[in-house]
Amino acid sequence: YPVDIAVEANDRNNLLVDIMNKMSAAKVQISSLHAQVQSYNKLITVVNMTIFVSDAKRLNDISNILLNIKGVYGVKRVIH
């Protein structure tokens, strides 16, 4: 199932590289990705992704993987 998530992190060098490496190692299929430094606070980056998961447990596991990346402090499911 496709799921939209938002990853909130302190901006730093190689943040996106670290996120992509962890997603690749966990064999997470990503169909879209958009990363942006927030204009009002240049210290925060938000990475919006559409990923494919098999069930809620897999989504929770992926959230935990992302939260263990240096600087990442939030992972939220985006409901449209």
Side-chain angles (χ1 to χ4, degrees):
Y1 301 99
V3 176
D4 293 329
I5 61 172
V7 180
E8 298 172 332
N10 297 316
D11 189 41
R12 64 173 176 82
N13 289 336
N14 296 319
L15 173 64
L16 194 55
V17 170
D18 290 347
I19 290 172
M20 294 305 296
N21 284 340
K22 291 288 187 180
M23 295 292 91
S24 178
K27 298 188 182 346
V28 177
Q29 183 180 357
I30 301 172
S31 65
S32 71
L33 181 137
H34 179 258
Q36 184 172 7
V37 176
Q38 291 186 348
S39 59
Y40 63 88
N41 185 349
K42 302 218 183 287
L43 301 176
I44 296 173
T45 297
V46 177
V47 180
N48 292 296
M49 292 187 276
T50 301
I51 61 173
F52 287 89
V53 297
S54 54
D55 54 34
K57 182 187 180 318
R58 177 71 170 147
L59 179 59
N60 188 56
D61 292 345
I62 293 167
S63 294
N64 288 332
I65 289 168
L66 290 167
L67 286 169
N68 285 314
I69 297 172
K70 179 183 172 186
V72 173
Y73 60 85
V75 178
K76 300 176 184 173
R77 183 171 181 186
V78 178
I79 307 291
H80 298 282

